[in-house]
Structure formats: C-alpha cells, structure tokens
Amino acid sequence: MVLESISRIIKLQLPAYLKKLPLPETIGGFARLTVSEWLRLLPLLGILALLGYLTIRPFLPKKKKQKDSLINLKIQKENPRVINEIDIEDLNSTKVCYCRCWRSKTFPVCDRSHVKHNELTGDNVGPLILKKKML
C-alpha cells in the first residue's frame, strides 16, 4: 500500500508537476519570472538546496568542541594526581593567588587565565587567595 502510493507519486504526479513548472530556457529568463511563478518553483528549489547541502556537509569543517568534561587539560598530565603543597608560613608576600581553573601558564600561581576560561565557557571559577595576617 505504501510502496504503491510512493510509486504513483514518482511515476505520475512528479512528472506532471515538473512539466507544469515555469523553467526558463536561459539564465536570463529567471529574471522575467513573476512572483506566482517563483512561488511554484519554491518547493523544487528547496529540495535541490537541501540535497546540495546534504551532499557537501561531510566536507564542511567541523566545529571544535570544548572539552568540558576535563578540567585539567595540560598541567602535569604524567602524574596520577596533581598536588601542590605550600606552607602558609613560607609566604613571602601578604597576599598570594593560586589557580583553580587549571589554565594558568604559571601554575599553581594564578595568572588570571580564568577570566578567558569563564568568558568562553560561562563558568565562574576564580583563584584561591591566601592572605597572611600581619601581627
């Protein structure tokens, strides 16, 4: 039943539809088509555009996806865990900022790489700030 309907459309209705289309013999003839003639051509042009897109889509460049699942993309990847230990008593300044976004080029010290990371991903990560109390 379904195949008979499809067969009838392809064999009878499609050729009749194509015969009635106002296809000009030259490219300049498209400029002389009326609005109603263009409207009759729209379904065919839409199908041709879709088929063209589906044909070239495998060759279009792929968009790079951000690796949202990984936080640490490059810091000490050879180690099973990244651990940095600093004694607070050894702080030379009164305020030190440590990276928590894993994008810092001076890891473990923050270089404000989290600002760009937050803009790109919509994240809200910031540094760990340690302050030394002055007595």
Side-chain angles (χ1 to χ4, degrees):
M1 177 84 172
V2 173
L3 289 177
E4 290 173 4
S5 300
I6 293 173
S7 174
R8 188 171 142 250
I9 289 172
I10 292 173
K11 289 180 180 177
L12 299 175
Q13 292 178 344
L14 187 60
Y17 167 75
L18 292 174
K19 283 181 187 175
K20 292 178 185 176
L21 285 179
L23 292 174
E25 293 182 15
T26 64
I27 292 178
F30 281 101
R32 291 186 291 276
L33 290 177
T34 65
V35 174
S36 64
E37 290 172 330
W38 274 108
L39 290 175
R40 287 186 9 220
L41 279 175
L42 274 180
L44 176 66
L45 295 176
I47 290 172
L48 291 176
L50 176 65
L51 290 174
Y53 172 73
L54 292 175
T55 301
I56 65 166
R57 192 170 96 186
F59 304 106
L60 295 175
K62 307 265 188 287
K63 291 182 182 179
K64 291 184 179 179
K65 293 183 180 177
Q66 176 114 5
K67 292 183 179 179
D68 289 334
S69 59
L70 290 177
I71 295 172
N72 178 9
L73 300 177
K74 60 186 175 190
I75 309 287
Q76 298 178 22
K77 294 301 277 184
E78 67 278 1
N79 296 334
R81 291 185 300 159
V82 178
I83 300 173
N84 297 97
E85 192 172 303
I86 299 168
D87 290 329
I88 295 176
E89 294 83 21
D90 294 339
L91 290 178
N92 294 329
S93 61
T94 58
K95 182 178 171 183
V96 181
C97 298
Y98 290 98
C99 177
R100 291 194 298 180
C101 73
W102 295 86
R103 304 310 192 265
S104 176
K105 300 205 181 357
T106 58
F107 191 86
V109 178
C110 177
D111 68 355
R112 298 191 46 78
S113 294
H114 61 273
V115 174
K116 184 177 179 184
H117 165 76
N118 289 346
E119 288 173 359
L120 290 173
T121 63
D123 205 350
N124 65 348
V125 71
L128 169 66
I129 300 173
L130 298 180
K131 293 182 183 179
K132 187 175 185 180
K133 286 188 179 181
M134 300 306 286
L135 299 174

